């Protein structure tokens, strides 16, 4: 039965209003809460399985209240997992075990009956660059080797959460079981979590995605850093799309432990989306209003750490323009009954990369993140604040800096103060430019999609796909300088189709076919490609970026409106002469270089794409996409 060996007390006993002081709340820490009566039979059954397997000491069914948060913050303070940041309101800093700082792509698996359901099977692609497959037998073995008894001595938290506004036809529910209070508190920021989701499950179809997470315990039984238990040697993240199930072991780092995000909203989400005929994508959603007061919504897919969050929160430099943010990482998009593609942000918070965020690069984020935020692996300052590379001047008088490893730091230390993948986890509702419709259960109508990457050479500032199929090819051919968000480091240009490379839940070839099929389902948006990062021969950026990117959005807006401000080129539609609005720009822009299409570069690019398709996608590549490559090759040959 559910409560075997576990103690389950009544719901809400500890839910206290915010004004209660810490000591009062700490006194009741040994008490846990939850009400089994609020669980549907299917949830109960799932929890029984988790309890049997993980053998926790206690169960805590999360209600999502402030009182619960106070209690868990208190617990984490006691355990040394977080420290307060008194310079700000309700902000905390977690320092992870240094071996647990990023997503573990090489140990992230999709389990399907046949390998080709999960990843393209080709002669050359071993291992595949488009995900890892695991058999059912090996999945069971991986679980059996890690999970039995893994929560002994710990509390098992049950987090009911909704991806998307509770009850929206575009939303989905998950139940995350975890032994980490850090995960609970982060999930409460990143998703709509708590009792209202259980009520919705009771009232609705009862469907949910099963998400089991444990920080684990190394075989020695000893945690290198007791304040951040984990088992980095045996970390594994498993997905079983046929059962809507996720199992994650060994890591507390967000990308591996906040299972609503990459695991559910993208990997399992993309498989559900394929089955149900919609799209789950690694995209920001933003609203843009032009000086005439007309508003459209765009989505944009960029590989990790390419300034996606900055784009989602842009302060346009072009007079009269306004950008509002619906989401900074993930878009779920579905055609409505009128054939309009509508998007929701399934998340409730931002889990953004801190380094590089400043008043200059992202003033909106800076106005968002200094309340109710959990920072992870940033540096701290002796006046109770945080610091990271690119934030501004660290040498404030009389203030010392402690780095993410807990050591005293100065600019002369010769090392980074914050980890390159350090994060803020902050409520989206605090964003001063959050879109008024960001919680609209119907979603917002999407008029354009932008793909992009960090391309120092050859790729112009902006171009438009000739049609949907060409746009799908552009997404499939995306490449970018590698990200610090994963294990890959350094400046290699990597293929990252649709910015989904680490997040596909099923065979990329089938994913492409699914994208192609969207055209038959409704009115598809225009597709664009942008590159803010092109450099001159002497290594200088050719485009100022940030707020000036609104000039590119202005051109995109006008194209969406049907203005004939383009000319055809070998790779797609480029802004026609003088159509990019550069009025008032202080800097002199070398448009010639910014939009030049070097024939050698594009011939090489086409060869790289061909090699990638051949080696990684093989026979799974849809004919339409292969044809687009031939068109590109022929057009480049004619350049
Ligand atoms: C992220 C990522 O954390 O894409 O959003 O890695
Ligand atoms: Mn992301």
């Amino acid at each position: 039965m559910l409560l075997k060996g576990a103690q389950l007390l009544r719901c809400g006993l500890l839910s206290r209003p915010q004004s209660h002081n810490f000591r009062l709340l700490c006194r009741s820490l040994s008490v846990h809460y939850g009400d089994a009566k609020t669980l549907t039979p299917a949830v109960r059954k799932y929890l029984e399985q988790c309890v049997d397997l993980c053998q926790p000491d206690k169960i805590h069914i999360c209600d999502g209240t402030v009182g619960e948060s106070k209690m868990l913050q208190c617990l984490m303070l006691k355990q040394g997992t977080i420290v307060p940041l008194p310079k700000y309101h309700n902000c905390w800093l977690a320092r992870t075990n240094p071996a647990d700082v990023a997503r573990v792509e090489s140990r992230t698996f999709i389990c399907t009956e046949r390998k080709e359901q999960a990843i393209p099977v080709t002669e050359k692609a071993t291992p595949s660059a488009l995900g890892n497959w695991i058999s059912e037998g090996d999945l069971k073995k991986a679980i059996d080797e890690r999970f039995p008894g893994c929560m002994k001595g710990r509390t098992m938290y049950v987090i009911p959460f909704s991806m998307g506004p509770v009850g929206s036809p575009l939303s989905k529910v998950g139940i995350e079981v975890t032994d980490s209070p850090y995960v609970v508190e982060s999930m409460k920021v990143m998703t709509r979590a708590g009792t209202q989701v259980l009520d919705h499950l009771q009232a609705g179809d009862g469907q949910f995605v099963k998400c089991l997470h444990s920080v684990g315990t190394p075989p020695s039984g000893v945690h290198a850093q007791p304040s951040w238990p984990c088992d980095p040697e045996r970390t594994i993240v498993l997905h079983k799309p046929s059962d809507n199930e996720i199992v994650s072991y060994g890591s507390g780092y967000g990308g591996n432990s906040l299972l609503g995000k990459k695991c559910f909203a993208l990997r399992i989400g993309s498989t559900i989306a394929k089955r149900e005929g919609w799209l789950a994508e690694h995209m920001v959603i933003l609203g843009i209003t032009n000086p005439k007061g007309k508003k459209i919504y765009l989505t944009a897919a960029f590989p990790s750490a390419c300034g996606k969050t900055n784009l989602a929160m842009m302060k346009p430099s072009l007079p009269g323009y306004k950008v509002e943010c619906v989401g900074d990482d993930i878009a779920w998009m579905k055609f409505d009954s009128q054939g309009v593609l509508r998007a929701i942000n399934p998340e409730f918070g931002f889990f953004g990369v801190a380094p590089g965020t400043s008043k200059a690069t992202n003033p909106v984020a800076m106005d968002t993140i200094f309340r109710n935020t959990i920072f992870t692996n940033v540096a701290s300052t002796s006046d109770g604040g945080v610091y990271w590379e690119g934030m501004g001047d660290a040498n404030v008088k009389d203030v010392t800096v402690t780095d993410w490893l807990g050591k005293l730091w100065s600019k002369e230390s010769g090392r980074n103060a914050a980890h390159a993948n350090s994060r803020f986890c902050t409520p989206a509702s605090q964003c001063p430019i959050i879109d008024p419709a960001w919680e609209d259960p119907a979603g917002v109508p999407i008029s354009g999609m932008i793909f992009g990457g960090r391309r120092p050479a050859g790729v112009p500032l902006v171009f438009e796909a000739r049609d949907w199929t060409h746009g799908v090819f552009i997404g499939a051919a995306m490449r970018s300088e590698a990200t610090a968000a994963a294990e890959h480091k350094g400046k290699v240009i990597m293929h990252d189709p649709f910015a989904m490379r680490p997040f596909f839940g099923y065979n990329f070839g089938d994913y492409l076919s699914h994208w192609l099929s969207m055209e038959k389902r409704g009115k598809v948006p225009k597709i664009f490609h942008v590159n803010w990062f092109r450099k001159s021969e002497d290594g200088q950026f050719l485009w100022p970026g940030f707020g000036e990117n609104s000039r590119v959005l202005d051109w995109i807006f006008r194209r969406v409106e049907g203005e004939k401000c383009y000319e055809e080129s070998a790779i797609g539609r480029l802004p026609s002469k003088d159509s990019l609005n550069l009025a008032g720009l202080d800097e002199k822009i070398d448009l010639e270089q910014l939009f030049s299409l070097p024939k050698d570069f594009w011939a090489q690019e086409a060869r790289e794409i061909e090699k990638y398709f051949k080696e990684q996608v093989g026979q799974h590549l849809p004919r339409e996409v292969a044809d687009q490559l031939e068109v590109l090759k022929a057009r480049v040959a004619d350049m």
Side-chain angles (χ1 to χ4, degrees), residues 187-244:
M187 283 293 283
K188 281 165 69 170
V189 174
M190 294 306 299
T191 71
R192 288 125 177 127
T195 308
Q196 75 278 22
V197 179
L198 290 177
D199 294 344
H200 170 68
L201 268 186
Q202 294 274 15
D205 65 4
Q207 298 289 316
F208 65 94
V209 172
K210 299 171 189 163
C211 309
L212 171 60
H213 168 255
S214 172
V215 293
T217 302
S220 66
V222 180
H223 287 283
Q225 184 179 319
S227 62
W228 189 269
C230 58
D231 188 0
E233 301 277 303
R234 299 193 302 159
T235 293
I236 197 158
V237 185
L238 304 160
H239 306 72
K240 195 162 179 219
S242 60
D243 294 345
N244 281 347

Side-chain angles (χ1 to χ4, degrees), residues 33-34 75 106 120 194 216 313 322 366 373 385 399 457 473 534 575 582 591 602:
Y33 59 91
L75 174 67
S106 60
M313 299 180 191
K322 183 161 81 174
M366 293 296 274
T373 297
V399 170
F473 167 75
R534 191 164 183 179
L582 298 182
L591 288 174
W602 278 97

Side-chain angles (χ1 to χ4, degrees), residues 513-554:
S513 303
H514 180 55
W515 261 79
L516 291 168
S517 79
M518 293 306 280
E519 205 176 11
K520 295 190 203 88
R521 296 173 195 268
K523 189 174 168 321
V524 286
K526 282 190 185 301
I527 294 181
F528 301 85
H529 187 283
V530 300
N531 173 30
W532 322 128
F533 302 98
R534 191 164 183 179
K535 288 182 174 165
S536 62
E537 264 150 35
D538 55 0
Q540 303 302 311
F541 284 114
L542 287 164
W543 180 250
F546 306 116
E548 304 301 354
N549 295 341
S550 58
R551 297 170 189 277
V552 175
L553 296 188
D554 162 70

